């Protein structure tokens, strides 16, 4: 089969575009309806992540297909000359309509994900930029738009298929067969189409959740909780020299969700800080964090994070970081503190810098730095949430604490 189109047949490239896009669209509807039936959780996250990746692939394919179509415009099959006027008008509306939806659907999905602060990743390989800032109301509008466009695509695709069948079985022209591989050879055509259908069905089956929900379940043993008192956290101390809180400072975290880095913050914490910089730094950090103040700019995800399978805020309302041992290094300082989170206490080294107070005394010292920890070390991820396929184990914590004198 020729690669390029001729006036009698679509070439191999046009056919590959056509049939790959048909398969991908089918996958989109199967994945979307599977996601709709799933409860909020890892399975739904994974199913929608695949839906998004295939959707972005469709957007790229639409651009390439349109480009190819345009480059072949002088020698492509034309509509049969004997079409009635209304049939010609319908075809001339449906074909551009299908192309327009091939662009509009992925774009509305991408916009919708951005508005929900779910950054889109293409199969975990390429992180796409967010198109709009998180916005709950806009998300709802875009969700409705996406659904409407999907229904419009279904309607146009149904008309398109019906027309192809009428051409083949009623008018008995070549409109359908010129888009099928091996145009003249009915047997070879049937075998190729059957193989394609079987391969497509197998591919769809692979895309559905199942593996995602159970992956990582080998980490079944839970970490024995250590009480905060065992580590000296919370032991009585004289008042700290400095304090900071969420009104003045920032305590953020970054984790990879469905292939894309996602930021969140804690809106409520209190830090008591004593710190003497130098070659042999000393002091004490005591930071208490209200877990319920977690904010990832999406109400649904915030709620999910507080459930028993993740932070279990009903049982563990506070997280606490206490450090009394420090060292200096090229990057500034390291605090060797104990983080108590969800009933587990472990050492988490914190790399930070110390900026002294301004000479005029107008601004106090600033501590800023980061730490990397594994959420599963603290049991943040029970049951299906243990899986690291869609939510990575590693979490980066970042903070900036302008210090104020203790009153
Ligand atoms: C041609 C490509 C696409 C098609 C045919 C398609 C189709 C659909 C359909 C039929 C639904 C279910 C709508 C409903 O009845 O509720 C859906 C939902 C969804 N789609 Fe797409 N989609 C496409 C591309 C995308 C892309 C590129 C993204 C994101 C990057 C995306 C994100 C979503 C999300 C997040 C939902 C679930 C919305 C919710 O219920 O929260 N879609 N899509």
């Amino acid at each position: 089969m020729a690669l390029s189109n001729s006036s009698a047949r679509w070439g191999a490239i046009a056919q590959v575009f056509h049939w790959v896009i048909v398969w991908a669209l089918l996958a989109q509807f199967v994945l979307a309806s599977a996601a709709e039936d799933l409860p909020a959780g890892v399975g739904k996250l994974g199913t929608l992540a695949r839906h998004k990746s295939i959707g972005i692939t469709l957007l790229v394919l639409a651009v390439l297909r349109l480009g190819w179509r345009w480059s072949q415009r002088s020698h492509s099959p034309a509509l049969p000359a004997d079409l009635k006027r209304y049939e010609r008008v319908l075809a001339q509306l449906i074909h551009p309509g299908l192309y327009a939806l091939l662009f509009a659907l992925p774009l509305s999905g991408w916009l919708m994900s951005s508005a929900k602060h779910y950054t889109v990743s293409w199969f975990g390989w390429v992180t796409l930029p967010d198109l709009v800032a998180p916005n709950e109301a806009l998300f709802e509008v875009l969700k409705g738009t996406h659904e409407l466009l999907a229904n419009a695509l279904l309607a146009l695709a149904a008309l398109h298929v019906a027309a192809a069948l009428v051409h083949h079985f009623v008018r008995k022209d070549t409109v359908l067969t010129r888009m099928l591989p091996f145009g003249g050879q009915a047997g070879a055509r049937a075998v190729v189409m059957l193989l394609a259908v079987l391969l497509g069905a197998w591919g769809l089956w692979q895309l559905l959740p199942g593996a995602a929900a159970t992956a990582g379940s080998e980490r079944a043993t839970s970490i024995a909780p250590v009480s905060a008192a065992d580590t000296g956290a919370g032991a009585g101390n004289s008042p700290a020299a400095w304090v900071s809180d969420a009104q003045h400072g920032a305590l953020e975290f970054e984790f990879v969700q469905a292939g894309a880095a996602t930021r969140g913050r804690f809106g409520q914490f209190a830090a008591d800080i004593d710190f003497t910089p130098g070659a042999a730094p000393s002091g004490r950090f005591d930071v208490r964090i209200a877990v319920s103040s977690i904010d990832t700019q999406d109400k649904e995800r915030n709620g999910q994070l507080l459930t028993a399978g993740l932070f279990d805020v009903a049982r563990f309302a506070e997280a606490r970081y206490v450090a009394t041992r420090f060292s200096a290094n090229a990057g500034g300082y390291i605090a060797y503190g104990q983080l108590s989170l969800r009933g587990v206490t472990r050492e988490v080294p914190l790399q930070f810098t110390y900026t002294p107070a301004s000479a005029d005394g107008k601004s106090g010292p600033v501590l800023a730095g980061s730490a990397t920890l594994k959420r599963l070390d603290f049991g943040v991820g029970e049951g299906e949430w243990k899986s690291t396929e869609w939510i990575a184990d590693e979490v980066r914590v970042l903070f900036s604490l302008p210090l104020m004198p203790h009153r």
Side-chain angles (χ1 to χ4, degrees), residues 25 28-29 32 51-52 55 58 106 109-110 112 120 143 146-147 150:
L25 285 174
Q28 286 301 76
F29 282 95
H51 176 86
K52 293 175 192 185
L58 273 162
W110 186 358
M112 165 178 35
V120 179
K143 186 175 159 188
H146 195 64
E147 193 177 331

Side-chain angles (χ1 to χ4, degrees), residues 17-105:
F17 275 132
H18 183 274
W19 294 110
V20 168
I21 286 174
V22 167
W23 179 85
L25 285 174
L26 279 176
Q28 286 301 76
F29 282 95
V30 171
L31 288 170
S33 76
E36 240 178 307
D37 294 342
L38 285 170
V42 175
K44 185 167 190 149
L45 189 68
T47 308
L48 280 176
R50 286 175 173 137
H51 176 86
K52 293 175 192 185
S53 296
I54 296 178
I56 296 300
T57 311
L58 273 162
L59 182 60
V60 175
L61 285 175
V63 173
L64 295 176
R65 183 176 179 184
L66 206 59
W68 180 250
R69 178 80 181 79
W70 186 80
S71 76
Q72 300 278 299
R73 65 194 179 288
S74 63
H75 49 278
S76 291
L79 291 173
D82 59 342
L83 282 189
K84 295 193 187 79
R85 209 180 111 73
Y86 86 88
E87 290 172 328
R88 185 169 294 276
V89 169
L90 263 181
Q92 281 165 350
L93 286 176
I94 290 173
H95 292 167
L98 285 169
Y99 272 115
L101 287 168
L102 267 187
F103 285 94
L105 256 161

Side-chain angles (χ1 to χ4, degrees), residues 48 55 66 82 112 162 167 174 184 186 190 196 209 229 243 247 254 262 265 270 276 283 293 295 306 324 328 372 395:
L48 280 176
L66 206 59
D82 59 342
M112 165 178 35
H167 277 287
T174 62
V243 292
Q247 274 72 53
E254 192 172 272
T262 306
R265 61 187 278 276
T276 309
S293 71
D295 181 16
L306 300 181
T324 51
T372 301
V395 180

Side-chain angles (χ1 to χ4, degrees), residues 9-355:
R9 275 186 69 63
W10 297 98
I13 292 179
Q15 293 205 10
V16 167
F17 275 132
H18 183 274
W19 294 110
V20 168
I21 286 174
V22 167
W23 179 85
L25 285 174
L26 279 176
Q28 286 301 76
F29 282 95
V30 171
L31 288 170
S33 76
E36 240 178 307
D37 294 342
L38 285 170
V42 175
K44 185 167 190 149
L45 189 68
T47 308
L48 280 176
R50 286 175 173 137
H51 176 86
K52 293 175 192 185
S53 296
I54 296 178
I56 296 300
T57 311
L58 273 162
L59 182 60
V60 175
L61 285 175
V63 173
L64 295 176
R65 183 176 179 184
L66 206 59
W68 180 250
R69 178 80 181 79
W70 186 80
S71 76
Q72 300 278 299
R73 65 194 179 288
S74 63
H75 49 278
S76 291
L79 291 173
D82 59 342
L83 282 189
K84 295 193 187 79
R85 209 180 111 73
Y86 86 88
E87 290 172 328
R88 185 169 294 276
V89 169
L90 263 181
Q92 281 165 350
L93 286 176
I94 290 173
H95 292 167
L98 285 169
Y99 272 115
L101 287 168
L102 267 187
F103 285 94
L105 256 161
L107 283 174
S108 64
W110 186 358
L111 281 163
M112 165 178 35
S113 290
S114 304
K116 201 170 166 63
H117 195 218
Y118 275 61
T119 300
V120 179
S121 162
W122 187 70
F123 294 109
W125 294 322
V126 182
T127 301
L128 275 62
D130 288 327
L131 297 180
V132 288
N135 181 329
E136 193 101 24
L138 181 63
F139 164 73
E140 290 300 335
V141 172
L142 289 165
K143 186 175 159 188
T145 309
H146 195 64
E147 193 177 331
L148 194 78
L149 293 174
N151 288 334
L153 179 67
L154 271 184
L156 286 195
L159 285 173
H160 181 69
V161 172
L165 295 177
V166 167
H167 277 287
H168 191 68
F169 292 108
V170 181
R171 298 174 58 99
K172 299 197 191 312
D173 59 23
T174 62
V175 164
L176 176 60
T177 51
R178 70 195 188 183
M179 187 48 104
L180 298 178
F182 307 105
Q185 304 154 30
R189 218 162 53 219
V191 170
V192 169
M193 293 313 277
L194 185 66
L195 281 178
V197 168
L198 288 177
L199 199 67
W202 176 82
L204 275 183
W205 185 251
Q206 295 301 308
L207 282 172
L208 285 173
T214 51
S217 57
E218 70 275 11
R219 300 187 62 123
T221 49
S222 68
I223 301 153
V226 180
S227 104
D230 296 344
T231 66
N237 267 287
S238 54
W242 304 97
V243 292
S244 191
D245 58 26
Q247 274 72 53
H248 304 88
L251 178 57
E252 299 183 328
F253 55 89
E254 192 172 272
F255 62 105
V256 176
Q257 175 190 273
T262 306
R263 276 255 177 144
R265 61 187 278 276
F266 287 98
Q268 228 184 311
F269 65 86
D272 288 335
I273 307 287
D274 280 317
F275 187 65
T276 309
S282 63
R284 184 172 195 276
F285 291 179
D286 188 348
V287 185
R288 281 161 295 124
I289 304 150
V291 174
S292 63
S293 71
I294 201 163
D295 181 16
T296 60
Q297 293 185 286
D298 175 51
K299 258 196 319 213
E300 202 179 324
R301 182 170 45 203
N302 292 346
Q304 228 162 44
L305 282 166
L306 300 181
T307 59
L310 288 161
F311 280 95
D312 197 2
V313 75
R315 290 173 58 215
F316 307 102
E318 187 177 272
R320 188 166 193 178
Y321 185 76
V322 178
T324 51
R325 201 158 62 81
F326 301 88
S327 72
N329 69 359
Y333 300 96
I334 303 177
Y336 301 93
Q338 300 286 325
L339 175 64
S340 302
L341 174 64
R342 209 186 183 278
V344 177
T345 300
R346 279 179 172 251
E347 183 174 277
V348 174
L350 202 75
Q351 175 75 51
F352 67 98
T353 56
Y354 174 85
T355 311

